[in-house]
């Protein structure tokens, strides 16, 4: 019985922590401050499909781009003003993590991103029109 209680406590604490983190991210963006959103990314292109790499996406309100920095130090600059597309169905690994494909303007291939589903609307607003996040 103690194991079940411990698992339920961890589940509720995790949900509370994620909800609080999304609220903090939303407040910081509305105040015009930069944020870092934990996410995973992989680039699409010719050849075999690569794996997702964990890292953080740095978004600054009003900036012309967002920067994904992988844990290994690799960086991918995502220009704002692109379009979002649904990725392949097999890229959804977890119900809490939403996968989406973002094609920056002028890019030949999209970048696939996985973020907590609660961060997805903020990500869409920040990359499609950076002024949206600055004005609230």
């Amino acid at each position: 019985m103690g194991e079940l209680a411990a698992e339920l406590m961890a589940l509720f604490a995790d949900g509370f922590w994620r909800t609080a983190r999304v609220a903090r991210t939303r407040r910081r963006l509305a105040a015009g401050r930069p944020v870092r959103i934990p996410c995973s990314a992989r680039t699409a292109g010719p050849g075999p499909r690569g794996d997702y790499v964990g890292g953080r996406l740095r978004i600054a309100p009003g900036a012309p781009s967002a920067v994904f920095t992988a844990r290994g130090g690799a960086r991918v600059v995502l220009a704002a003003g692109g379009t979002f597309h649904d990725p392949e169905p097999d890229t959804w690994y977890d119900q809490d993590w939403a996968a989406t494909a973002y094609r920056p303007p002028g890019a030949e291939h999209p970048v696939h991103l996985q973020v907590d589903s609660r961060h997805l609307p903020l990500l869409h607003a920040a990359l499609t029109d950076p002024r949206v996040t600055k004005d609230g």
Side-chain angles (χ1 to χ4, degrees):
M1 188 64 144
E3 291 177 17
L4 178 62
E7 287 183 25
L8 287 174
M9 192 166 65
L11 176 70
F12 289 123
D14 181 58
F16 172 76
W17 175 254
R18 288 184 189 199
T19 302
R21 188 174 205 164
V22 171
R24 179 178 181 263
T25 301
R26 185 172 283 121
R27 282 193 312 269
R28 285 182 62 92
L29 285 173
R33 299 184 69 192
V35 296
R36 289 184 311 267
I37 297 175
C39 69
S40 298
R42 74 172 173 85
T43 56
R49 183 171 66 173
D51 292 332
Y52 279 94
V53 176
R56 295 189 180 274
L57 187 65
R58 186 176 194 283
I59 299 171
S65 63
V67 179
F68 172 78
T69 305
R71 289 192 180 106
R75 295 171 44 122
V76 177
V77 177
L78 302 172
T83 57
F84 281 92
H85 307 276
D86 291 332
E88 306 87 2
D90 63 344
T91 59
W92 287 298
Y93 295 115
D94 187 341
Q95 65 184 8
D96 290 340
W97 287 82
T100 188
Y102 176 70
R103 184 179 303 235
E108 200 170 308
H109 300 287
V111 175
H112 296 272
L113 301 168
Q114 281 186 330
V115 297
D116 185 300
S117 58
R118 292 166 259 201
H119 278 116
L120 197 58
L122 298 173
L123 181 69
H124 279 231
L127 289 176
T128 54
D129 185 6
R131 291 169 291 151
V132 171
T133 57
K134 188 168 187 171
D135 296 337

